[in-house]
């Protein structure tokens, strides 16, 4: 586990983000940090809030519900893991963003259960790895069009997970692919799919992701550590 305080980790990450934005000629205000708290306690998640993080991300419904009971509306909540349709009812009124929309049956359940507009990212498997969930890039435009009937869903952007590698070219190709696809969806000018956001980049690759256009970076171990 990263033993440093969340506050110190956050300071280092914010400097890295500023540097990446400078390299890409971007404004630092365009990038939001999601603290991924899957592997840490509610106390550690609360420490992130106290340090100044306002976005928390959870991969499992039980983990989210446990932390939400304590932290509640102190945070903007992101569900970033694979979401089973049967679990939607457990989290839909707790989360602000869902990062893993990848099938129409899930969209139907979100639409049915949502009491307000659900902000969703479509998960895209840009790398084509069998271990990754998500639609292929070729499937995304058609899938977006099928969502027009779901008035409780807004497609705010696209999400991907890059391969776990230190090969910068591989990472950049993945992130650029998602950026290109996001621009394609945005250019469709669909009122229910503004698609202005890019959720990409984690502890090992967020600096490259920001250089390639990320607006949300999902940082766990480098920020809050790992208590498991």
């Amino acid at each position: 586990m990263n033993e440093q305080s969340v506050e110190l980790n956050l300071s280092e990450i914010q400097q890295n983000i500023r540097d990446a934005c400078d390299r890409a000629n971007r404004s630092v205000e365009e990038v939001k940090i999601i603290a991924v708290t899957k592997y840490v306690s509610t106390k550690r998640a609360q420490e992130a809030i106290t340090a100044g993080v306002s976005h928390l991300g959870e991969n499992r419904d039980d983990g989210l519900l446990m932390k939400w009971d304590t932290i509640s509306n102190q945070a903007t909540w992101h569900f970033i893991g694979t979401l089973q349709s049967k679990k939607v009812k457990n989290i839909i009124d707790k989360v602000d963003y869902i990062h893993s929309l990848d099938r129409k049956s899930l969209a139907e359940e979100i639409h049915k259960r949502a009491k307000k507009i659900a902000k969703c990212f479509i998960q895209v498997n840009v790398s084509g790895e069998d271990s990754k969930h998500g639609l292929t890039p070729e499937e995304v435009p058609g899938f977006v069009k099928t969502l027009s009937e779901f008035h409780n869903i807004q497609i705010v952007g696209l999400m991907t997970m890059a391969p776990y590698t230190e090969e910068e070219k591989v990472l950049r190709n993945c992130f650029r692919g998602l950026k290109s696809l996001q621009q394609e969806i945005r250019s469709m000018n669909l009122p229910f799919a503004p698609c202005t956001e890019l959720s990409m980049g984690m502890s090992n690759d967020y600096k490259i992701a920001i250089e390639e256009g990320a607006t949300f970076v999902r940082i766990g171990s480098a920020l809050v550590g790992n208590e498991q």
Side-chain angles (χ1 to χ4, degrees):
M1 173 182 167
N2 190 335
E3 297 291 350
Q4 288 188 158
S5 71
V6 176
E7 186 176 15
L8 188 55
N9 291 339
L10 179 61
S11 178
E12 292 177 1
I13 290 165
Q14 288 172 328
Q15 184 59 56
N16 289 336
I17 289 174
R18 285 192 290 271
D19 292 344
C21 285
D22 284 346
R23 291 191 294 270
N25 196 27
R26 298 182 64 194
S27 167
V28 72
E29 280 75 31
E30 295 175 19
V31 182
K32 296 178 178 65
I33 299 168
I34 302 170
V36 179
T37 53
K38 175 183 180 182
Y39 294 118
V40 297
S41 63
T42 301
K43 181 182 177 182
R44 189 72 166 170
Q46 184 70 63
E47 190 181 335
I49 297 293
T50 303
V53 175
S54 57
H55 296 264
L56 296 183
E58 278 286 329
N59 296 59
R60 294 169 58 92
D61 64 316
D62 52 356
L64 187 144
L65 294 171
M66 182 178 67
K67 293 182 177 74
W68 195 92
D69 281 344
T70 299
I71 295 169
S72 187
N73 59 5
Q74 294 178 62
T76 298
W77 290 92
H78 298 252
F79 191 86
I80 59 176
T82 301
L83 182 57
Q84 295 176 289
S85 295
K86 66 181 180 181
K87 298 292 182 71
V88 170
K89 64 181 183 293
N90 298 340
I91 59 105
I92 192 64
D93 62 341
K94 308 286 195 301
V95 299
D96 301 280
Y97 293 87
I98 295 171
H99 288 240
S100 47
L101 178 57
D102 61 357
R103 59 196 186 279
K104 192 171 183 182
S105 60
L106 179 57
E108 289 171 345
E109 189 68 14
I110 292 170
H111 174 74
K112 183 173 78 172
R113 301 284 184 178
K115 295 181 174 65
K116 61 180 180 179
I117 300 296
K119 298 176 181 178
C120 295
F121 290 81
I122 292 174
Q123 184 168 357
V124 188
N125 185 356
V126 179
S127 67
E129 293 173 280
D130 291 340
S131 60
K132 299 281 196 299
H133 291 274
L135 298 168
T136 66
E138 295 75 22
E139 292 172 323
V140 173
F143 177 66
V144 171
K145 292 174 184 175
T146 70
L147 303 176
S148 61
E149 64 195 90
F150 302 126
H151 306 302
N152 284 340
I153 291 177
Q154 182 182 56
I155 302 303
V156 297
L158 306 179
M159 183 274 256
T160 199
M161 296 176 67
Y164 193 80
T165 178
E166 294 182 2
E167 292 186 48
E168 186 174 318
K169 183 177 180 181
V170 172
L171 295 171
R172 288 196 187 278
N173 284 342
C174 182
F175 297 141
R176 285 174 184 169
L178 196 71
K179 175 68 175 178
S180 176
L181 186 58
Q182 177 244 339
Q183 291 174 323
E184 178 183 345
I185 302 303
R186 191 174 178 181
S187 71
M188 291 161 65
N189 292 316
L190 301 171
F192 61 92
C195 204
T196 55
E197 309 294 339
L198 280 172
S199 171
M200 59 188 194
M202 300 191 292
S203 289
N204 62 306
D205 57 18
Y206 70 91
K207 290 174 277 189
I208 294 172
I210 289 167
E211 290 174 14
E212 298 299 339
T215 62
F216 285 94
V217 289
R218 311 179 303 271
I219 305 180
S221 58
L223 180 55
V224 294
N226 185 339
E227 295 175 334
Q228 295 185 10

